């Protein structure tokens, strides 16, 4: 396929947390608010004079100093962020909107504060509480937290307008972005899609890491380009997979997987598009803030939600995506040392395989997978297994049709 | 005359069992097959060699001890008769589960110890006699039940070296702990579908998730709350260091990574190998105390699909009162759930009565702190911690007998304080506090610290929880207090809600207790505590506090053995403190296979 016009530019934007568009927005007088977790509603960080940037630590190598502070048995993602923060990589941020969802990430934020990794006088880190289940009183809890610990602080420290009108404007802009991303993502349902999983990963990440007003026009243009893009006659992929699990912001993961012969047709992981790129549908009769909170709680696929309805929702979502996007199998992945996904992955993998009938590859992985020979071998073996299954299925269907003709 | 309230309600033990004898016979046949296979595969020559070795070792020990006696002066012999032996490491023998014999503590204290040993046996027999058949049957179904046969050994190892009133106090506490254990074991086996299968009892049982305090059950006097995984996993791992290994192996074979905390790991493993009894009207799962615990409930729900489950969850940022309402509403929802599942009704009178007791217990608890903060600490050592955890916090004022134990211990403690007694006579060299999570498989580590190096643990982090008296009149305020209590329960108070609660808190406690050492546990799989390692180091230097870091893996001694834990202290005391041990026989000994 012909290269996408903006692909190289997008890849370059993802080389640094403090990318060109972030700098441009800040030069225009807007404040950059970093965040990491889906429990923090992205749209609330795009209100008025602020913009969200989902923080990453691209090109991380040594994380020795963070390991001294946080030990070697803890989430590599959290440690990589801390290392980058200590190196001064998040000096550009005006705030971090944190949620106390997992202890590793919460400690990472705390270290950034204690070790004074950002010297801007108005810099602040929020610590908001998020619940483990969805009830009306937990929606109250999130709404209260977002008002008191986030919006009010943004207003006080950054002079942000957090009125309903400002929230509404942010939702509209967010929905526009989601529509574009959904349309692009839907191409992956086609038998021979005009976009690869890797390319979609790049587009999805820039949509999280760059200021929406600056990235949206380029994404719209990319959508038009994809509409008219002619896919290769013979697809490169030998199997279609859904990737599900914990955070992936490492493009090398998608690259490695697709080099092994798989096409990623759906991205059900943190920093992917499920969840994250669904429209927020507002209705009358309830405050905008409450509806936003409810939307994020409802669509969240975080393993931290421990109530049975959410556990079932997580499995059903993966199954639904696999069916809708015509996947041959599921790759269930987990960031090493992540407690939530460590427990979720084995159980869900067994259930998806035994009860939902999907072939599943269950893996744990480092934050940066580049050059992982072990992972490449596992991906290749899984793709071969899927191919064999497909051949066996086809033969069985042919034999069944043959015996039907004889009869 | 007032009727004396019996606890637990005797009717729970009298409910009819519905034992499926056919299934018991099938199980017995299976066990018989396993035993026959074991016998067939046994190398009898090896067994004979081992017995011979034991006899030889016994003779050698007896002649060695006789030799020592012969070599002693009259004063030394008198001291031995009066004050007991001083070489405690000689009680251990490599590769053996039990010690070679019980400790000689001097005439008087050995008498006390023997009396308590008998009293414990009496209590255990009396308790199990309340419904013996299911309890015995349970031992044929669950291998973890067998570990409880070593409870006397557990008693011994937790009281090693103690003399005088300290010994009496520890025995009082450990008696209460094992009464709690025995009663729960009998009820678990009675209600379990595989064994006693008492439907009537099962309807009255509310199962509580790991470490969830029982206060919420105080308003349901007609029901009984049983901490579900406590007996098969949690408390068991403190009694038998090897008990959780099969659980951990099972769930890791299932796919769980090996870096997760052994508590939820073992609980999930217990589900995988079907080691949890199946009973109860409902299950109160909880998000406490940490991330791993949150996730274990999905395994339990998967194993027991017919067990209605409520997820009791509290805000993590617990100092933030703006979200108190969510916690209160969750408690109300939990109460409604229990009512719906059991048909029982919440009683404020019963709740307030129990909480008045709990407040009284808290007052006694604070007195212990007060005494231990002085230069003459009295109630120190492992039994204090175990009692606090199981009988004070977990029971939550429901069992009236616990208040009596508090009273007895308080009297003994005050007398001992007035006499300026030393719990470990002549071994009070250092004052220490313990921070972070202690190793379950080395529950008596503080006992070793005192006997070997004279390091006296005044208090452990896990003790320093919520101490505000709970509201006993205003209902709404009472619910808020209950929420505050749960939010600040053991482990949760320190690990949740921000670093201030555990990092800065340590420096506050150092100020209050004036230790010269901090035993800094590093539970290698505890993500929450590990993420503060560097800051503890940095700030300890700033505060001039000595930390002795001791790695462990909570319930899995294969990662870091007891011996490895001891060697950390040995190295520190010799190289940094430049000291020699009080009891050199305890510096290096083998106990990898012991209970």
């Amino acid at each position: 396929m012909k290269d996408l016009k903006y692909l190289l530019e997008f890849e370059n934007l993802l080389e640094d947390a403090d990318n060109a568009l972030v700098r441009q927005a800040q030069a225009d007088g807007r404040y950059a608010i970093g965040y990491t977790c889906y429990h923090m509603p992205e749209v609330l960080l795009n209100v008025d004079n602020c913009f969200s940037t989902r923080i990453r630590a691209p090109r991380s190598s040594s994380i020795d100093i963070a390991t001294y502070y946080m030990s070697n048995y803890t989430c590599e993602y959290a440690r990589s962020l801390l290392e980058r923060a200590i190196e001064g990589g998040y000096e550009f941020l005006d705030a971090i909107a944190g949620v106390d969802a997992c202890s590793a990430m919460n400690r990472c934020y705390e270290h950034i504060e204690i070790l004074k990794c950002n010297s801007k006088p108005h810099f602040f880190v929020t610590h908001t509480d998020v619940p483990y289940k969805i009830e009306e009183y937990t929606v109250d809890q999130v709404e209260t937290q977002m008002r008191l610990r986030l919006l009010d602080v943004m207003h006080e420290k950054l002079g942000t307008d957090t009125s309903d009108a400002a929230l509404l404007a942010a939702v509209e802009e967010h929905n526009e972005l989601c529509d574009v991303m959904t349309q692009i993502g839907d191409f992956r349902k086609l038998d021979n899609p005009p976009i690869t999983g890797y390319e979609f990963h790049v587009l999805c990440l820039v949509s999280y890491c760059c200021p929406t007003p600056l990235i949206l026009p380029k994404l719209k243009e990319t959508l038009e380009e994809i509409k008219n893009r002619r896919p290769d006659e013979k697809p490169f992929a030998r199997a279609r997979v859904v990737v599900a699990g914990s955070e992936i912001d490492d493009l090398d993961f998608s690259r490695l997987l697709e080099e092994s012969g798989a096409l990623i047709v759906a991205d059900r992981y943190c920093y992917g598009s499920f969840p994250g790129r669904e429209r927020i549908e507002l209705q009358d009769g309830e405050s905008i803030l409450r509806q936003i909170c409810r939307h994020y709680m409802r669509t969240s696929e975080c393993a931290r939600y421990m109530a049975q309805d959410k556990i079932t929702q997580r499995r059903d979502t993966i199954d639904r995506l696999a069916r809708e996007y015509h996947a041959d199998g599921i790759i269930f992945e987990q960031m090493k040392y992540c407690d939530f996904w460590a427990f979720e992955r084995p159980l869900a993998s067994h259930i998806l395989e035994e009860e939902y009938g999907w072939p599943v590859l269950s893996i744990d992985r480092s934050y940066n997978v580049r050059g992982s020979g072990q992972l490449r071998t596992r991906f290749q073996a899984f793709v071969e297994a899927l191919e064999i299954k497909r051949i066996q299925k086809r033969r069985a269907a042919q034999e069944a049709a043959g015996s039907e003709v004889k009869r | 005359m007032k009727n004396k309230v019996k606890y637990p309600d005797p009717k729970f033990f009298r409910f009819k069992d519905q034992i499926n004898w056919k299934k018991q016979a099938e199980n017995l046949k299976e066990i018989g097959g396993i035993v026959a296979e074991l016998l067939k595969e046994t190398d009898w020559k090896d067994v004979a060699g081992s017995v011979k070795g034991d006899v030889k070792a016994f003779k050698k020990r007896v002649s060695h001890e006789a030799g020592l006696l012969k070599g002693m002066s009259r004063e030394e012999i008198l001291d031995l008769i009066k004050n007991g032996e001083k070489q405690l490491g000689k009680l251990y023998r490599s590769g053996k589960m039990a010690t070679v014999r019980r400790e000689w503590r001097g005439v008087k204290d050995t008498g006390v110890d023997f009396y308590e040993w008998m009293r414990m046996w009496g209590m255990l027999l009396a308790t199990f006699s309340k419904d013996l058949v299911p309890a015995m049957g349970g031992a044929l179904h669950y291998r973890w039940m067998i570990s409880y046969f070593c409870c006397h050994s557990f008693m011994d190892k937790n009281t090693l070296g103690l003399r005088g009133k300290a010994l009496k106090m520890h025995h009082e506490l450990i008696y209460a702990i094992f009464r709690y254990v025995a009663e729960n074991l009998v009820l678990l086996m009675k209600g379990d579908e595989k064994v006693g299968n008492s439907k009537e009892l099962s309807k009255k049982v509310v199962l509580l998730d790991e470490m969830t305090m029982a206060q919420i059950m105080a308003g349901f006097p007609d029901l009984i709350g049983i901490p579900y995984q406590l007996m098969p996993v949690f408390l068991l791992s403190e009694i038998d260091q090897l008990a959780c290994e099969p659980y951990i192996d099972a769930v890791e074979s299932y796919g769980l990574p090996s870096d997760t905390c052994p508590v939820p790991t073992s609980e999930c493993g217990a589900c995988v190998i079907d080691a949890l009894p199946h009973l109860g009207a409902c299950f109160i799962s909880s998000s406490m105390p940490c991330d791993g615990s949150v996730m274990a409930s999905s395994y339990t729900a998967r194993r027991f699909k017919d067990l209605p489950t409520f997820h009791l969850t509290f805000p993590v940022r617990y100092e933030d009162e703006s979200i108190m309402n969510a916690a209160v509403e969750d408690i109300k929802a939990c109460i409604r759930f229990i009512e719906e599942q059991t048909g029982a009704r919440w009683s404020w009178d019963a709740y307030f009565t129990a909480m008045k007791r709990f407040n009284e217990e808290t007052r006694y608890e604070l007195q212990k702190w007060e005494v231990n903060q002085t230069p003459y600490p009295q109630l120190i050592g492992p039994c204090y911690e175990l009692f606090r955890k199981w009988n004070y916090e977990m029971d939550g004022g429901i069992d009236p007998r616990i208040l009596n134990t508090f009273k007895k211990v308080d009297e003994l403690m005050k007398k001992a304080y007035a006499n300026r007694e030393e719990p470990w006579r002549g071994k009070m060299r250092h004052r220490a506090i313990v921070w972070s999570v202690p190793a379950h498989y080395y529950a008596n580590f503080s006992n070793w610290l005192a006997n070997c190096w004279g390091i006296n643990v005044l208090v452990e982090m896990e003790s320093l929880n919520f101490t505000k008296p709970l509201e006993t009149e205003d209902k709404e305020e009472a619910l808020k207090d209950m929420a505050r209590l749960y939010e600040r329960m053991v482990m949760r108070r320190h690990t949740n809600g921000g670093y201030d609660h555990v990092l800065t808190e340590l420096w506050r406690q150092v100020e209050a207790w004036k230790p010269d050492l901090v035993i800094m546990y590093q539970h290698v799989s505890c993500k929450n505590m590990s993420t503060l390692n560097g800051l503890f180091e940095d700030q300890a230097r700033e505060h001039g506090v000595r930390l002795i870091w001791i790695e462990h893996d909570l319930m899995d001694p294969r990662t870091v053995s007891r011996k490895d834990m001891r060697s950390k202290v040995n190295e520190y005391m010799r190289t940094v403190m430049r000291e020699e041990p009080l009891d050199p026989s305890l510096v290096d000994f083998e106990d990898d296979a012991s209970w």
Side-chain angles (χ1 to χ4, degrees), chain B residues 367-549:
Chain B
Q367 283 182 14
K368 291 176 191 168
W369 297 7
E370 206 177 308
V371 169
N372 283 1
Q373 284 176 351
T374 69
Y376 307 99
Q378 294 302 325
L379 187 56
I380 55 179
C383 297
Y384 163 42
E385 291 305 323
L386 295 166
F387 174 83
R388 177 202 54 76
K389 194 157 51 183
W390 308 127
N391 301 92
Y392 163 62
E393 290 196 19
M394 294 286 292
D395 173 70
I398 296 176
D399 182 351
R401 297 168 298 180
I402 298 303
L403 192 55
N404 294 335
T405 309
F406 266 105
K407 281 177 190 164
K408 280 185 200 167
V409 169
D410 188 63
E411 280 167 22
L412 285 165
M413 182 182 73
K414 282 176 182 161
K415 278 181 196 165
Y417 178 74
N419 299 335
R420 303 290 191 257
E421 286 184 24
E422 288 185 337
W424 278 283
R425 286 178 193 158
K427 293 178 177 175
M428 307 290 282
R429 247 190 210 171
H430 296 282
R431 294 168 65 87
I433 62 172
V434 159
W435 213 246
S436 191
V437 193
H440 275 222
Y441 58 80
Y442 210 165
N444 59 324
F445 190 61
S446 59
N447 186 297
W448 174 82
L449 285 170
N451 281 313
C452 185
W453 290 101
I455 300 171
N456 292 273
V457 174
L458 308 171
V459 76
E460 300 198 8
M461 180 190 89
E462 289 195 340
S463 297
L464 301 165
N465 299 325
F466 193 61
T467 52
K468 173 186 174 294
L470 301 181
E471 174 62 43
T472 54
E473 283 177 14
D474 182 294
K475 292 173 185 172
E476 275 303 308
E477 201 49 44
L479 290 172
K480 284 184 186 170
D481 267 359
M482 201 200 304
R484 290 182 187 113
L485 175 79
Y486 273 82
E487 287 171 342
R488 292 157 180 83
M489 64 173 258
V490 60
M491 273 307 289
R492 198 180 196 272
R493 185 198 160 212
H494 297 95
T495 58
N496 282 230
Y499 69 90
D500 180 73
H501 297 152
V502 66
L503 178 67
T504 322
E505 176 71 6
L506 173 58
W507 319 127
R508 285 193 285 266
Q509 295 300 341
V510 165
E511 194 60 35
W513 295 81
K514 308 257 182 305
D516 57 332
L517 288 172
V518 173
I519 302 297
M520 193 71 198
Y521 282 128
Q522 190 188 350
H523 166 12
V524 293
S525 309
C526 178
K527 313 287 193 289
N528 196 304
M529 291 300 298
S530 301
T531 45
L532 285 170
N533 279 5
L535 288 174
F536 273 118
E537 278 285 9
D538 288 1
Q539 296 189 9
R541 276 194 291 272
E542 286 164 22
H543 286 85
V545 174
R546 288 196 187 100
L547 306 180
I548 308 182
W549 286 92

Side-chain angles (χ1 to χ4, degrees), chain A residues 203-366:
Chain A
L203 303 185
C204 195
L205 281 179
V206 290
S207 78
Y208 284 120
C209 300
C210 302
T212 307
L214 299 179
I215 199 69
L216 187 55
K218 291 174 199 277
L219 289 172
K220 279 181 179 169
E221 207 179 317
T222 304
L223 169 62
E224 293 308 314
E225 192 186 348
I226 294 168
K227 279 180 186 169
N228 301 311
R229 196 183 195 198
R230 225 176 55 210
D232 295 336
E233 277 181 23
K234 191 172 180 291
F236 76 92
R238 289 138 56 201
R240 299 163 66 95
V241 295
V242 172
V243 177
S246 67
E247 193 266 0
I248 305 178
D249 70 57
D250 177 19
L251 288 173
D252 285 333
F253 181 91
S254 302
R255 194 180 282 138
L256 188 66
L257 180 51
E258 298 208 325
E259 278 171 4
S260 306
L263 173 72
I264 304 165
V265 290
D267 46 348
R268 213 286 63 233
Y269 49 78
C270 311
Y271 282 54
S273 62
F274 304 111
R277 289 297 166 245
E278 297 86 356
R279 284 180 66 85
I280 300 172
E281 302 292 357
L282 296 178
Q283 268 140 30
D284 295 336
E286 195 171 42
S287 79
I288 296 176
L289 177 59
R290 191 176 181 82
Q291 290 187 67
I292 290 170
C293 295
R294 197 192 295 281
H295 169 86
Y296 280 88
M297 292 170 78
R298 188 177 52 77
T299 53
S300 173
E301 299 285 335
C302 179
R304 185 179 181 269
Y305 275 111
M306 65 188 291
Q308 195 55 42
D309 56 336
K310 280 300 237 184
I311 293 174
T312 309
Q313 176 190 319
R314 292 200 286 272
R315 293 168 194 160
D316 287 348
T317 301
I318 297 170
D319 175 58
R320 177 178 57 77
L321 290 173
R323 280 186 284 106
E324 279 179 15
Y325 287 79
H326 314 297
D328 299 307
I330 293 159
I331 295 180
F332 212 116
E333 57 76 32
Q334 166 228 324
M335 179 87 65
K336 253 186 196 313
Y337 311 123
C338 169
D339 268 351
F340 290 125
W341 288 100
F343 282 90
E344 176 82 353
R345 179 177 58 81
L347 189 58
S349 298
H350 280 279
I351 291 170
L352 285 166
E353 187 151 347
E354 287 156 21
E355 292 179 17
Y356 290 79
W358 290 105
V360 179
L361 172 67
S362 188
I363 53 165
D364 63 358
R365 60 174 189 89
S366 301

Side-chain angles (χ1 to χ4, degrees), chain A residues 68-71 73 100 103 107 110-111 129 132-133 137 145 149 303 306 337 339-340 342-343 350 355, chain B residues 254 256 285 291 295 299 302 311 316-317 320 326 329-330 498-499 524 527-528 530-531 533-535 538:
Chain A
Y68 162 75
Y69 279 107
M70 295 176 70
S71 97
Y73 268 151
D100 203 341
S103 53
R107 294 287 190 233
E110 290 183 336
H111 276 83
D129 197 277
Y132 294 91
K133 57 185 180 182
Y137 52 85
Q145 285 287 289
R149 307 279 160 247
M306 65 188 291
Y337 311 123
D339 268 351
F340 290 125
F343 282 90
H350 280 279
E355 292 179 17
Chain B
Y254 188 73
L256 191 76
S285 157
D291 295 354
M295 297 308 294
Y299 285 69
R302 174 85 185 155
H311 301 278
V316 172
R317 311 294 300 185
D320 187 346
E329 287 304 318
D330 211 41
Y499 69 90
V524 293
K527 313 287 193 289
N528 196 304
S530 301
T531 45
N533 279 5
L535 288 174
D538 288 1

Side-chain angles (χ1 to χ4, degrees), chain B residues 91 114 116 151 156 175 209 268 282 286 315 360 478 531-532 564:
Chain B
L91 299 176
F114 185 67
E116 293 293 345
C151 62
D156 284 351
Y175 179 88
D209 204 355
C268 296
C282 54
S286 90
E360 186 72 0
T531 45
L532 285 170
D564 292 337

Side-chain angles (χ1 to χ4, degrees), chain B residues 143-144 232-233 236 243-252 265-270 272-273 275:
Chain B
R143 83 174 119 189
W144 55 264
V233 181
L236 182 77
C244 287
E245 290 178 10
Y247 304 148
I248 294 169
D249 292 347
V251 77
E252 285 181 4
T265 299
S266 299
E267 288 167 5
C268 296
V272 171
I273 60 171

